[in-house]
Amino acid sequence: MQARLELKSVRDVDADAVVVFAFEGQPPALAPAALTEELYSSAEFQGKSCQTALLYRPEGWRAKRLLLIGCGKPEEFDGHALRAAAGRAARLLKERRVSHVAFAAEQPWRSAETVSALVEATLLGAYDPDLYKTDPEKKGTPLGSVTVIAEGAGEELQAAVERGSILAECQNFARDLVSEPANRLTPGKLAERARAMAEQEGLSCEIIDESRLKQLGMGALLGVAQGSEEPPALIVLRYSPETESTDHLGLVGKGITFDTGGISLKPSEHMDEMKFDMAGGAAVLGAMRAIARLKPSIAVTAFVPAVENMPGGKAQRPGDIVTTLSGKTVEVMNTDAEGRLIMADTFTYAQKLGCTHLVDAATLTGAIVVALGHVYTGAFTNDQEMLNRLLEAGKAEGEKIWHMPLDEDYAEQLKSPYADLPNIGKRWGGAITAAYFLKQFADPVPWVHLDIAGTAWTEEAKPHMAKGPTGVGVRTLARLAADWQS
């Protein structure tokens, strides 16, 4: 979708629809006063969050439609309210097969940050995971272009429009990957998609195959893969800045392309959603695509261990013991706690390649959903400064992240009489013990773990977003790299 900036009057913009933001108790000054005052006085439209009023052929305007979109109380207006309103407008207009939509970016809330967020939210709101639908009537018509109207502004907002477009396109790229069914996106196919993206964006790409994984000694990763006919792959993408970087950021994304649970088989209900278990890997790939375009000053290497977890005749069993790349041994008490196994080996490999800081994104535990629901991503860390960097990036990009504990007390749950540690603790605090397991392989480098199991997809459509994958993490990870100060 094309995104551009217009510095003219909102009345002079030729578009299929112009969107004006409205607040409770405040008819928007840009819209025709006679129309808006009547809407407000009749209570037909009051400016409440995501409330809409669509007007046709407003007098004196070049646009075919005027859409008022509610943003709630003006004193509560923030990035989240802006994103929700813009996404809702995009979805409503897409349903009406609008091709060109323009948004009025008004003072006093207009800034580079809000303009970027406006473009992001529009492109994200217009997304539908309907690649495999064949009926044109049931397949959405994509928006062709979005314009930000900023009368009186300078050309400096053009960079914000471009940045918002980049981040949204890369997030939608991640959503496309997560939407793919497991028969069409095996570990090998995911590696092919990553290589094609890397070639397109100028990133270096290495695919480490099963033979090389055995030579390296990644016993934990290979143990998960051995039950599947599909061979595993470790995807490694590298971004090198123009000037030398002392810090080296490693991004690790869980890439289980389908998770049956292995021998510890999952219930059949909702198992179809386990094609989403590579959402962390997709987020990392989407972030790398954005990083390649934004060109930050820090070196970034991404790692996506791509594996299928199946209950085949060669599958690992509860009670098996594997030796990780670090040399530590792990007793596999539950084969459905597989993500932490593939990531443990990947953490060690990332450090061997010189990564000085690590962030991972993984649909790791159902326990994080119990703790935080589907609103916040859980964050765990061994380094408060590193976490602060990430939380600032997430706040700037409108992604909600909550700091979770990682005390030594939880180590008591990770003891095995047969190996250095088991791959699962007791029932309570499961998201924490999973993170504590990962910490054993992340130390000593500064590290943040993002458990996105509750935020990687939505089970129901929202007013501003389609049902399905969200692409969570892409913007935060890209922002973390872009704003990095050594």
Side-chain angles (χ1 to χ4, degrees), residues 317-379:
R317 298 143 291 240
D320 283 3
I321 294 176
V322 296
T323 301
T324 66
L325 179 59
S326 71
K328 293 177 182 176
T329 56
V330 177
E331 184 180 11
V332 181
M333 299 300 293
N334 187 319
T335 64
D336 194 25
E338 83 298 331
R340 64 201 74 180
L341 293 173
I342 67 171
M343 295 175 73
D345 276 346
T346 308
F347 284 3
T348 303
Y349 189 67
Q351 293 182 58
K352 287 180 179 290
L353 291 192
C355 291
T356 60
H357 299 75
L358 290 176
V359 181
D360 77 80
T363 49
L364 204 68
T365 67
I368 198 66
V369 188
V370 175
L372 299 177
H374 297 284
V375 178
Y376 279 85
T377 290

Short mmCIF file of all heavy atoms in Angstrom, two decimals, residues 317-379:
data_model
loop_
_atom_site.label_atom_id
_atom_site.label_comp_id
_atom_site.label_asym_id
_atom_site.label_seq_id
_atom_site.Cartn_x
_atom_site.Cartn_y
_atom_site.Cartn_z
N ARG A 317 11.15 -39.00 24.29
CA ARG A 317 10.17 -39.44 25.28
C ARG A 317 10.36 -38.68 26.58
O ARG A 317 11.47 -38.23 26.88
CB ARG A 317 10.36 -40.94 25.56
CG ARG A 317 10.14 -41.82 24.35
CD ARG A 317 11.12 -42.99 24.36
NE ARG A 317 12.47 -42.53 24.12
CZ ARG A 317 13.22 -42.94 23.10
NH1 ARG A 317 12.76 -43.79 22.23
NH2 ARG A 317 14.45 -42.47 22.95
N PRO A 318 9.31 -38.52 27.37
CA PRO A 318 9.50 -37.99 28.72
C PRO A 318 10.49 -38.86 29.49
O PRO A 318 10.39 -40.09 29.50
CB PRO A 318 8.09 -38.07 29.33
CG PRO A 318 7.17 -37.99 28.15
CD PRO A 318 7.88 -38.74 27.05
N GLY A 319 11.46 -38.21 30.08
CA GLY A 319 12.53 -38.93 30.78
C GLY A 319 13.83 -39.00 30.00
O GLY A 319 14.88 -39.31 30.57
N ASP A 320 13.78 -38.71 28.70
CA ASP A 320 15.02 -38.67 27.91
C ASP A 320 15.93 -37.55 28.43
O ASP A 320 15.45 -36.54 28.96
CB ASP A 320 14.71 -38.41 26.44
CG ASP A 320 14.19 -39.66 25.72
OD1 ASP A 320 14.02 -40.70 26.38
OD2 ASP A 320 13.93 -39.57 24.50
N ILE A 321 17.21 -37.73 28.23
CA ILE A 321 18.19 -36.71 28.61
C ILE A 321 18.97 -36.29 27.38
O ILE A 321 19.46 -37.15 26.63
CB ILE A 321 19.14 -37.23 29.71
CG1 ILE A 321 18.35 -37.47 31.01
CG2 ILE A 321 20.27 -36.24 29.96
CD1 ILE A 321 19.16 -38.07 32.13
N VAL A 322 19.03 -34.98 27.15
CA VAL A 322 19.75 -34.44 26.00
C VAL A 322 20.90 -33.57 26.49
O VAL A 322 20.84 -32.99 27.57
CB VAL A 322 18.82 -33.62 25.08
CG1 VAL A 322 17.75 -34.51 24.47
CG2 VAL A 322 18.17 -32.46 25.82
N THR A 323 21.92 -33.48 25.66
CA THR A 323 23.06 -32.61 25.97
C THR A 323 22.99 -31.38 25.07
O THR A 323 22.94 -31.49 23.84
CB THR A 323 24.39 -33.35 25.74
OG1 THR A 323 24.42 -34.51 26.57
CG2 THR A 323 25.57 -32.45 26.08
N THR A 324 22.96 -30.22 25.68
CA THR A 324 22.83 -28.97 24.94
C THR A 324 24.18 -28.54 24.37
O THR A 324 25.24 -29.07 24.73
CB THR A 324 22.30 -27.86 25.86
OG1 THR A 324 23.29 -27.59 26.86
CG2 THR A 324 20.99 -28.27 26.52
N LEU A 325 24.15 -27.53 23.51
CA LEU A 325 25.37 -26.99 22.93
C LEU A 325 26.29 -26.42 24.00
O LEU A 325 27.51 -26.46 23.86
CB LEU A 325 25.01 -25.90 21.91
CG LEU A 325 26.15 -25.18 21.20
CD1 LEU A 325 27.04 -26.17 20.44
CD2 LEU A 325 25.62 -24.11 20.27
N SER A 326 25.72 -25.95 25.09
CA SER A 326 26.52 -25.40 26.18
C SER A 326 27.25 -26.48 26.98
O SER A 326 28.16 -26.18 27.75
CB SER A 326 25.63 -24.60 27.14
OG SER A 326 24.79 -25.48 27.89
N GLY A 327 26.84 -27.73 26.80
CA GLY A 327 27.40 -28.83 27.57
C GLY A 327 26.50 -29.26 28.73
O GLY A 327 26.67 -30.35 29.29
N LYS A 328 25.53 -28.42 29.11
CA LYS A 328 24.60 -28.78 30.17
C LYS A 328 23.65 -29.86 29.68
O LYS A 328 23.28 -29.89 28.51
CB LYS A 328 23.81 -27.56 30.62
CG LYS A 328 24.63 -26.49 31.32
CD LYS A 328 23.78 -25.29 31.66
CE LYS A 328 24.64 -24.21 32.33
NZ LYS A 328 23.88 -22.98 32.59
N THR A 329 23.25 -30.74 30.62
CA THR A 329 22.30 -31.80 30.29
C THR A 329 20.91 -31.44 30.81
O THR A 329 20.77 -30.80 31.85
CB THR A 329 22.73 -33.15 30.88
OG1 THR A 329 22.90 -33.00 32.32
CG2 THR A 329 24.05 -33.61 30.27
N VAL A 330 19.90 -31.87 30.04
CA VAL A 330 18.51 -31.55 30.38
C VAL A 330 17.69 -32.82 30.36
O VAL A 330 17.74 -33.59 29.39
CB VAL A 330 17.91 -30.53 29.39
CG1 VAL A 330 16.44 -30.27 29.71
CG2 VAL A 330 18.70 -29.22 29.41
N GLU A 331 16.94 -33.06 31.43
CA GLU A 331 15.99 -34.16 31.47
C GLU A 331 14.67 -33.66 30.90
O GLU A 331 14.09 -32.69 31.40
CB GLU A 331 15.79 -34.66 32.90
CG GLU A 331 14.86 -35.87 32.98
CD GLU A 331 14.65 -36.37 34.39
OE1 GLU A 331 15.03 -35.66 35.34
OE2 GLU A 331 14.08 -37.47 34.54
N VAL A 332 14.20 -34.30 29.84
CA VAL A 332 12.97 -33.87 29.16
C VAL A 332 11.78 -34.48 29.89
O VAL A 332 11.38 -35.62 29.62
CB VAL A 332 12.98 -34.28 27.68
CG1 VAL A 332 11.72 -33.80 26.98
CG2 VAL A 332 14.22 -33.73 26.98
N MET A 333 11.22 -33.74 30.82
CA MET A 333 10.09 -34.23 31.60
C MET A 333 8.77 -34.10 30.86
O MET A 333 7.82 -34.84 31.13
CB MET A 333 10.01 -33.47 32.93
CG MET A 333 11.24 -33.64 33.81
SD MET A 333 11.54 -35.36 34.24
CE MET A 333 10.12 -35.69 35.28
N ASN A 334 8.72 -33.16 29.92
CA ASN A 334 7.50 -32.95 29.15
C ASN A 334 7.92 -32.52 27.75
O ASN A 334 8.57 -31.48 27.58
CB ASN A 334 6.64 -31.86 29.82
CG ASN A 334 5.28 -31.70 29.17
OD1 ASN A 334 5.15 -31.74 27.95
ND2 ASN A 334 4.25 -31.49 29.98
N THR A 335 7.53 -33.30 26.75
CA THR A 335 7.96 -32.97 25.38
C THR A 335 7.21 -31.76 24.81
O THR A 335 7.58 -31.25 23.75
CB THR A 335 7.77 -34.17 24.44
OG1 THR A 335 6.37 -34.49 24.33
CG2 THR A 335 8.53 -35.39 24.95
N ASP A 336 6.16 -31.31 25.52
CA ASP A 336 5.44 -30.12 25.08
C ASP A 336 6.10 -28.84 25.60
O ASP A 336 5.65 -27.75 25.29
CB ASP A 336 3.98 -30.19 25.52
CG ASP A 336 3.10 -29.17 24.83
OD1 ASP A 336 3.47 -28.75 23.71
OD2 ASP A 336 2.06 -28.79 25.39
N ALA A 337 7.14 -28.98 26.38
CA ALA A 337 7.95 -27.82 26.80
C ALA A 337 9.18 -27.78 25.90
O ALA A 337 10.32 -27.85 26.35
CB ALA A 337 8.32 -27.93 28.27
N GLU A 338 8.91 -27.70 24.60
CA GLU A 338 9.97 -27.87 23.60
C GLU A 338 10.62 -26.57 23.18
O GLU A 338 11.78 -26.54 22.77
CB GLU A 338 9.39 -28.58 22.36
CG GLU A 338 8.67 -27.72 21.34
CD GLU A 338 7.44 -27.00 21.86
OE1 GLU A 338 6.78 -27.52 22.79
OE2 GLU A 338 7.13 -25.91 21.36
N GLY A 339 9.87 -25.46 23.27
CA GLY A 339 10.41 -24.20 22.80
C GLY A 339 11.66 -23.79 23.54
O GLY A 339 12.63 -23.31 22.95
N ARG A 340 11.66 -24.00 24.84
CA ARG A 340 12.83 -23.63 25.65
C ARG A 340 14.05 -24.48 25.30
O ARG A 340 15.19 -24.04 25.47
CB ARG A 340 12.49 -23.73 27.14
CG ARG A 340 12.18 -25.12 27.63
CD ARG A 340 11.37 -25.12 28.91
NE ARG A 340 9.99 -24.74 28.67
CZ ARG A 340 9.05 -24.66 29.63
NH1 ARG A 340 9.37 -24.93 30.88
NH2 ARG A 340 7.82 -24.31 29.33
N LEU A 341 13.82 -25.68 24.79
CA LEU A 341 14.94 -26.55 24.41
C LEU A 341 15.62 -26.03 23.15
O LEU A 341 16.85 -25.93 23.08
CB LEU A 341 14.44 -27.97 24.19
CG LEU A 341 13.94 -28.71 25.43
CD1 LEU A 341 13.31 -30.04 25.04
CD2 LEU A 341 15.07 -28.94 26.42
N ILE A 342 14.84 -25.69 22.14
CA ILE A 342 15.47 -25.22 20.90
C ILE A 342 16.12 -23.85 21.11
O ILE A 342 17.13 -23.53 20.48
CB ILE A 342 14.46 -25.19 19.73
CG1 ILE A 342 13.37 -24.14 19.93
CG2 ILE A 342 13.84 -26.56 19.51
CD1 ILE A 342 12.49 -23.92 18.72
N MET A 343 15.55 -23.05 22.03
CA MET A 343 16.11 -21.72 22.26
C MET A 343 17.35 -21.78 23.13
O MET A 343 18.25 -20.93 22.99
CB MET A 343 15.04 -20.83 22.86
CG MET A 343 13.90 -20.60 21.87
SD MET A 343 12.54 -19.68 22.55
CE MET A 343 13.25 -18.06 22.64
N ALA A 344 17.44 -22.76 23.99
CA ALA A 344 18.64 -22.90 24.82
C ALA A 344 19.88 -23.08 23.96
O ALA A 344 20.90 -22.40 24.15
CB ALA A 344 18.47 -24.08 25.77
N ASP A 345 19.80 -23.98 23.00
CA ASP A 345 20.93 -24.17 22.09
C ASP A 345 21.20 -22.91 21.26
O ASP A 345 22.36 -22.56 21.00
CB ASP A 345 20.66 -25.35 21.14
CG ASP A 345 21.01 -26.69 21.76
OD1 ASP A 345 21.71 -26.70 22.80
OD2 ASP A 345 20.59 -27.72 21.21
N THR A 346 20.15 -22.23 20.87
CA THR A 346 20.31 -21.04 20.03
C THR A 346 20.96 -19.90 20.81
O THR A 346 21.79 -19.15 20.28
CB THR A 346 18.96 -20.60 19.45
OG1 THR A 346 18.33 -21.72 18.82
CG2 THR A 346 19.13 -19.51 18.43
N PHE A 347 20.61 -19.74 22.08
CA PHE A 347 21.26 -18.73 22.93
C PHE A 347 22.77 -18.95 22.97
O PHE A 347 23.55 -18.01 22.85
CB PHE A 347 20.70 -18.78 24.35
CG PHE A 347 19.34 -18.18 24.53
CD1 PHE A 347 18.62 -17.67 23.47
CD2 PHE A 347 18.77 -18.14 25.78
CE1 PHE A 347 17.36 -17.11 23.65
CE2 PHE A 347 17.52 -17.59 25.99
CZ PHE A 347 16.81 -17.08 24.92
N THR A 348 23.15 -20.19 23.17
CA THR A 348 24.58 -20.50 23.25
C THR A 348 25.28 -20.19 21.93
O THR A 348 26.36 -19.61 21.91
CB THR A 348 24.78 -21.98 23.61
OG1 THR A 348 24.10 -22.25 24.85
CG2 THR A 348 26.25 -22.32 23.76
N TYR A 349 24.63 -20.54 20.84
CA TYR A 349 25.22 -20.29 19.53
C TYR A 349 25.33 -18.78 19.26
O TYR A 349 26.34 -18.31 18.71
CB TYR A 349 24.38 -20.95 18.44
CG TYR A 349 25.02 -20.94 17.08
CD1 TYR A 349 26.18 -21.66 16.83
CD2 TYR A 349 24.48 -20.19 16.04
CE1 TYR A 349 26.78 -21.64 15.57
CE2 TYR A 349 25.07 -20.16 14.79
CZ TYR A 349 26.22 -20.89 14.56
OH TYR A 349 26.83 -20.86 13.33
N ALA A 350 24.33 -18.03 19.68
CA ALA A 350 24.36 -16.58 19.49
C ALA A 350 25.54 -15.96 20.22
O ALA A 350 26.22 -15.06 19.70
CB ALA A 350 23.05 -15.96 19.97
N GLN A 351 25.82 -16.44 21.41
CA GLN A 351 26.96 -15.93 22.15
C GLN A 351 28.28 -16.34 21.51
O GLN A 351 29.25 -15.57 21.51
CB GLN A 351 26.89 -16.40 23.60
CG GLN A 351 25.71 -15.78 24.36
CD GLN A 351 25.65 -16.20 25.80
OE1 GLN A 351 26.59 -15.99 26.56
NE2 GLN A 351 24.54 -16.81 26.20
N LYS A 352 28.32 -17.53 20.95
CA LYS A 352 29.52 -17.96 20.24
C LYS A 352 29.82 -17.06 19.04
O LYS A 352 30.98 -16.88 18.65
CB LYS A 352 29.38 -19.43 19.79
CG LYS A 352 29.48 -20.45 20.93
CD LYS A 352 29.32 -21.86 20.39
CE LYS A 352 29.44 -22.89 21.50
NZ LYS A 352 30.83 -23.00 22.04
N LEU A 353 28.76 -16.51 18.44
CA LEU A 353 28.93 -15.62 17.30
C LEU A 353 29.19 -14.17 17.72
O LEU A 353 29.27 -13.28 16.87
CB LEU A 353 27.72 -15.67 16.38
CG LEU A 353 27.48 -16.97 15.59
CD1 LEU A 353 26.42 -16.76 14.53
CD2 LEU A 353 28.76 -17.50 14.96
N GLY A 354 29.28 -13.92 19.01
CA GLY A 354 29.68 -12.60 19.49
C GLY A 354 28.57 -11.67 19.90
O GLY A 354 28.82 -10.48 20.13
N CYS A 355 27.35 -12.14 20.03
CA CYS A 355 26.26 -11.27 20.47
C CYS A 355 26.50 -10.82 21.91
O CYS A 355 26.73 -11.65 22.79
CB CYS A 355 24.91 -11.98 20.36
SG CYS A 355 24.39 -12.27 18.66
N THR A 356 26.43 -9.52 22.13
CA THR A 356 26.67 -8.96 23.46
C THR A 356 25.38 -8.72 24.23
O THR A 356 25.42 -8.51 25.45
CB THR A 356 27.43 -7.63 23.34
OG1 THR A 356 26.64 -6.70 22.57
CG2 THR A 356 28.78 -7.83 22.67
N HIS A 357 24.25 -8.70 23.55
CA HIS A 357 22.93 -8.50 24.16
C HIS A 357 21.94 -9.41 23.43
O HIS A 357 22.05 -9.59 22.22
CB HIS A 357 22.48 -7.05 24.04
CG HIS A 357 23.38 -6.07 24.71
ND1 HIS A 357 24.60 -5.70 24.20
CD2 HIS A 357 23.23 -5.37 25.88
CE1 HIS A 357 25.18 -4.82 25.00
NE2 HIS A 357 24.36 -4.60 26.02
N LEU A 358 20.99 -9.95 24.18
CA LEU A 358 20.01 -10.87 23.60
C LEU A 358 18.58 -10.45 23.95
O LEU A 358 18.31 -10.03 25.07
CB LEU A 358 20.23 -12.30 24.10
CG LEU A 358 21.47 -13.06 23.65
CD1 LEU A 358 21.54 -14.41 24.36
CD2 LEU A 358 21.47 -13.25 22.14
N VAL A 359 17.70 -10.61 22.98
CA VAL A 359 16.26 -10.53 23.22
C VAL A 359 15.63 -11.69 22.48
O VAL A 359 15.98 -11.98 21.33
CB VAL A 359 15.64 -9.22 22.68
CG1 VAL A 359 14.15 -9.19 22.97
CG2 VAL A 359 16.32 -8.00 23.31
N ASP A 360 14.72 -12.39 23.15
CA ASP A 360 14.00 -13.45 22.45
C ASP A 360 12.51 -13.20 22.51
O ASP A 360 12.00 -12.54 23.42
CB ASP A 360 14.34 -14.83 23.03
CG ASP A 360 13.63 -15.11 24.34
OD1 ASP A 360 12.44 -15.49 24.33
OD2 ASP A 360 14.26 -14.96 25.41
N ALA A 361 11.80 -13.71 21.51
CA ALA A 361 10.35 -13.64 21.45
C ALA A 361 9.84 -15.04 21.20
O ALA A 361 10.29 -15.71 20.27
CB ALA A 361 9.89 -12.70 20.35
N ALA A 362 8.91 -15.50 22.05
CA ALA A 362 8.46 -16.89 21.94
C ALA A 362 7.05 -17.04 22.48
O ALA A 362 6.70 -16.45 23.51
CB ALA A 362 9.40 -17.80 22.72
N THR A 363 6.24 -17.83 21.79
CA THR A 363 4.95 -18.27 22.32
C THR A 363 5.27 -19.42 23.27
O THR A 363 5.04 -20.58 22.95
CB THR A 363 4.03 -18.73 21.18
OG1 THR A 363 4.76 -19.64 20.34
CG2 THR A 363 3.56 -17.56 20.35
N LEU A 364 5.79 -19.09 24.44
CA LEU A 364 6.44 -20.12 25.26
C LEU A 364 5.49 -20.86 26.19
O LEU A 364 5.58 -22.08 26.32
CB LEU A 364 7.58 -19.49 26.06
CG LEU A 364 8.67 -20.49 26.47
CD1 LEU A 364 9.44 -21.00 25.26
CD2 LEU A 364 9.63 -19.89 27.48
N THR A 365 4.59 -20.15 26.88
CA THR A 365 3.79 -20.83 27.91
C THR A 365 2.34 -20.37 27.92
O THR A 365 2.05 -19.18 27.74
CB THR A 365 4.37 -20.56 29.32
OG1 THR A 365 4.21 -19.17 29.65
CG2 THR A 365 5.84 -20.94 29.40
N GLY A 366 1.44 -21.30 28.20
CA GLY A 366 0.06 -20.93 28.48
C GLY A 366 -0.05 -20.22 29.81
O GLY A 366 -1.00 -19.45 30.03
N ALA A 367 0.92 -20.41 30.68
CA ALA A 367 0.87 -19.80 32.01
C ALA A 367 0.93 -18.28 31.93
O ALA A 367 0.35 -17.59 32.78
CB ALA A 367 2.04 -20.31 32.86
N ILE A 368 1.58 -17.73 30.92
CA ILE A 368 1.64 -16.27 30.80
C ILE A 368 0.26 -15.72 30.45
O ILE A 368 -0.08 -14.59 30.82
CB ILE A 368 2.70 -15.82 29.77
CG1 ILE A 368 3.07 -14.34 29.98
CG2 ILE A 368 2.20 -16.02 28.34
CD1 ILE A 368 3.77 -14.06 31.27
N VAL A 369 -0.55 -16.51 29.77
CA VAL A 369 -1.91 -16.08 29.43
C VAL A 369 -2.77 -16.06 30.70
O VAL A 369 -3.60 -15.17 30.89
CB VAL A 369 -2.54 -16.99 28.37
CG1 VAL A 369 -3.87 -16.42 27.89
CG2 VAL A 369 -1.60 -17.17 27.18
N VAL A 370 -2.55 -17.02 31.58
CA VAL A 370 -3.25 -17.03 32.87
C VAL A 370 -2.90 -15.78 33.66
O VAL A 370 -3.75 -15.16 34.30
CB VAL A 370 -2.90 -18.31 33.67
CG1 VAL A 370 -3.53 -18.27 35.06
CG2 VAL A 370 -3.35 -19.55 32.92
N ALA A 371 -1.63 -15.39 33.61
CA ALA A 371 -1.16 -14.25 34.40
C ALA A 371 -1.59 -12.91 33.80
O ALA A 371 -2.04 -12.02 34.54
CB ALA A 371 0.37 -14.30 34.50
N LEU A 372 -1.47 -12.75 32.49
CA LEU A 372 -1.65 -11.43 31.87
C LEU A 372 -2.77 -11.37 30.85
O LEU A 372 -3.03 -10.30 30.29
CB LEU A 372 -0.33 -11.00 31.19
CG LEU A 372 0.89 -10.86 32.11
CD1 LEU A 372 2.12 -10.50 31.29
CD2 LEU A 372 0.64 -9.80 33.18
N GLY A 373 -3.42 -12.49 30.58
CA GLY A 373 -4.47 -12.49 29.58
C GLY A 373 -3.91 -12.24 28.19
O GLY A 373 -2.77 -12.59 27.89
N HIS A 374 -4.74 -11.59 27.35
CA HIS A 374 -4.34 -11.33 25.97
C HIS A 374 -4.01 -9.85 25.75
O HIS A 374 -4.07 -9.38 24.61
CB HIS A 374 -5.46 -11.77 25.03
CG HIS A 374 -5.75 -13.23 25.08
ND1 HIS A 374 -4.95 -14.18 24.49
CD2 HIS A 374 -6.77 -13.92 25.70
CE1 HIS A 374 -5.45 -15.39 24.71
NE2 HIS A 374 -6.54 -15.26 25.45
N VAL A 375 -3.63 -9.16 26.81
CA VAL A 375 -3.37 -7.72 26.72
C VAL A 375 -1.88 -7.41 26.72
O VAL A 375 -1.39 -6.67 25.88
CB VAL A 375 -4.08 -6.97 27.87
CG1 VAL A 375 -3.77 -5.48 27.80
CG2 VAL A 375 -5.59 -7.20 27.82
N TYR A 376 -1.17 -7.97 27.70
CA TYR A 376 0.25 -7.67 27.86
C TYR A 376 1.12 -8.86 27.48
O TYR A 376 0.78 -10.01 27.75
CB TYR A 376 0.56 -7.29 29.31
CG TYR A 376 0.25 -5.87 29.68
CD1 TYR A 376 -1.04 -5.51 30.09
CD2 TYR A 376 1.22 -4.88 29.64
CE1 TYR A 376 -1.34 -4.20 30.45
CE2 TYR A 376 0.94 -3.57 29.98
CZ TYR A 376 -0.34 -3.24 30.39
OH TYR A 376 -0.64 -1.94 30.73
N THR A 377 2.27 -8.55 26.89
CA THR A 377 3.35 -9.52 26.73
C THR A 377 4.16 -9.53 28.02
O THR A 377 4.43 -8.48 28.60
CB THR A 377 4.25 -9.11 25.54
OG1 THR A 377 3.54 -9.28 24.32
CG2 THR A 377 5.53 -9.93 25.50
N GLY A 378 4.55 -10.72 28.47
CA GLY A 378 5.36 -10.83 29.68
C GLY A 378 6.84 -10.70 29.36
O GLY A 378 7.32 -11.29 28.39
N ALA A 379 7.56 -9.91 30.16
CA ALA A 379 8.99 -9.69 29.94
C ALA A 379 9.77 -10.14 31.17
O ALA A 379 9.43 -9.80 32.30
CB ALA A 379 9.28 -8.22 29.66
#
